[in-house]
Amino acid sequence: MSASSSSSALYVWPPAFTLPSLCPSSLYVLAYLRLAGIQHTPIPTSEPSRSPSSQLPCFDASPDASASSHVGDDAVAAARGCVDACVARGADLDAKATSAVSTTGRARFTADATAYLAMAEATLAPASQAALWIDPKTWTAVRDVLAPGMPVPLNWAVAYRMRRATQLAMPCRLEDVYASAVRGYDVLDRLLKAHPPGASSRFLLGGTQPTRLDAFAMAHVLFHLCAAPCAATPLREALDARPDLTRWATRLAADVFVKEGEAPFCTPMPLPPPPTPPPRQSESRGTSGGGGGSGKSASDEERAYRRGNILAVVSALGAMTLYALSSIEWVEDEDDEELSRSPMSGEGTSAEAEAEAEEAEADEEEAGE
């Protein structure tokens, strides 16, 4: 869908790895707007402060966008606020899908849509946030993708602030979060396979119209399927074991995001090779002392961290040395000034000697008289 000049702006995280946005929450809002037929203009940015609500994603048509959660603290809540703004404008996918169901099945369809969406938000969203901002295996790749779009001080500060906020909001261990997401993918996979004969397999609930659940699940599946360097390996392996779910997501993404005549969307990326174990301490010592050794105990990130620490220490020592030298010079100038005014200085001694000589001459004159 092409956005018109009067369309509303949607602030999202920048695209990466053939995806319209690196953030699954931004992908969710983008998919919902396209499925709902709302004219919009995506504005990719790596700085949440550029959006009207200082958070991403942000749909500026929302009347209460400024009242939503703080920058980066909860991207899921921010995406939910954007979708609620669309619903307030009359673009309710769930209501439209429910109206397309027979009267006798509408109550059950509404209950299923609400329950499955709550399940997906509770299992898939925390895992995607953890893969973006917490997992040490993907954190470096995420930071490298976002860094070029920000100036030098912010490319580290924003990323680390997002990581810290996500760590504080994460209720349990990383392994438990990923295990919960795998169970969520299993539920969605069984939901696809449970469609009655003759029902459409284009949407998760089997109806003729998409729901919030379709946009949400597609966004998170695409993230772990197409953004391999930034996605969690356990979740990608779980998706590879569920081909029906991955085919559904890529097929729906092609219908939603790809325009006629464009290249295929979202080519699944291969998993990165497993990291090689670091050499033992004795081996690293032997290779570091000799020439041509290929084993290195420190990664590029560790070396950059150590180099930064060394530069910081050298700068601090230089500042301390300059301060000490300037203090010594100031003390010497002050001592010279005090010495010049003291009675023990040379000028004071000569004046006292002249006075004593005059007194002695006066005493001699009096004695001669």
Side-chain angles (χ1 to χ4, degrees):
M1 177 185 306
S2 60
S4 62
S5 58
S6 60
S7 62
S8 301
L10 175 64
Y11 296 84
V12 294
W13 289 99
F17 307 112
T18 73
L19 293 174
S21 177
L22 178 64
C23 175
S25 296
S26 298
L27 277 177
Y28 167 42
V29 179
L30 283 168
Y32 189 95
L33 292 178
R34 294 213 174 192
L35 289 171
I38 297 180
Q39 300 288 332
H40 64 282
T41 302
I43 301 179
T45 177
S46 298
E47 299 182 43
S49 59
R50 291 186 176 180
S51 69
S53 61
S54 295
Q55 62 183 4
L56 296 174
C58 174
F59 190 44
D60 69 350
S62 174
D64 53 352
S66 60
S68 53
S69 63
H70 196 268
V71 48
D73 291 348
D74 193 352
V76 179
R80 188 184 301 115
C82 296
V83 173
D84 291 341
C86 298
V87 173
R89 298 177 59 178
D92 190 348
L93 288 181
D94 289 355
K96 186 177 180 180
T98 303
S99 63
V101 181
S102 61
T103 306
T104 56
R106 289 182 180 178
R108 180 175 179 179
F109 185 87
T110 302
D112 288 344
T114 303
Y116 281 115
L117 178 62
M119 181 276 304
E121 289 182 347
T123 58
L124 307 187
S128 297
Q129 288 295 101
L132 275 174
W133 306 113
I134 297 180
D135 195 336
K137 298 179 181 178
T138 60
W139 159 244
T140 304
V142 174
R143 189 187 59 197
D144 293 342
V145 170
L146 299 179
M150 291 181 285
V152 174
L154 292 179
N155 59 355
W156 290 85
V158 172
Y160 275 100
R161 182 166 55 83
M162 295 284 293
R163 187 182 195 189
R164 181 59 177 168
T166 307
Q167 288 174 337
L168 294 176
M170 197 59 59
C172 53
R173 297 183 308 164
L174 191 63
E175 295 78 7
D176 297 334
V177 173
Y178 288 163
S180 178
V182 171
R183 291 192 294 269
Y185 285 140
D186 189 52
V187 171
L188 296 178
D189 187 59
R190 292 201 305 267
L191 184 62
L192 279 174
K193 295 178 180 179
H195 288 168
S200 173
S201 60
R202 184 184 178 190
F203 307 116
L204 285 172
L205 295 179
T208 59
Q209 298 293 330
T211 62
R212 278 194 186 192
L213 176 64
D214 294 297
F216 188 91
M218 180 189 66
H220 289 271
V221 170
L222 288 181
F223 170 70
H224 294 285
L225 189 65
C226 302
C230 302
T233 300
L235 299 186
R236 173 59 189 276
E237 293 174 347
L239 288 175
D240 290 341
R242 294 163 177 82
D244 293 338
L245 185 60
T246 57
R247 280 195 298 266
W248 165 82
T250 53
R251 184 169 61 247
L252 182 59
D255 295 340
V256 173
F257 292 111
V258 179
K259 300 178 183 179
E260 186 176 356
E262 290 184 345
F265 175 78
C266 184
T267 302
M269 299 184 64
L271 286 171
T276 57
R280 297 179 180 178
Q281 188 175 5
S282 59
E283 295 178 358
S284 62
R285 287 178 180 176
T287 56
S288 61
S294 58
K296 295 183 179 180
S297 59
S299 63
D300 294 339
E301 184 178 2
E302 291 175 346
R303 287 194 295 271
Y305 178 76
R306 293 172 182 173
R307 185 164 52 250
N309 286 345
I310 293 174
L311 292 176
V313 171
V314 171
S315 301
L317 291 176
M320 293 172 61
T321 303
L322 291 175
Y323 177 77
L325 293 176
S326 61
S327 300
I328 293 173
E329 184 179 357
W330 180 79
V331 170
E332 290 179 352
D333 294 341
E334 190 178 61
D335 291 342
D336 293 341
E337 185 177 354
E338 291 180 356
L339 184 60
S340 64
R341 293 196 301 263
S342 65
M344 296 301 294
S345 61
E347 295 180 358
T349 304
S350 60
E352 290 179 357
E354 291 179 359
E356 291 177 357
E358 290 178 356
E359 290 179 359
E361 290 179 359
D363 293 338
E364 290 178 357
E365 290 178 357
E366 290 179 359
E369 293 178 355

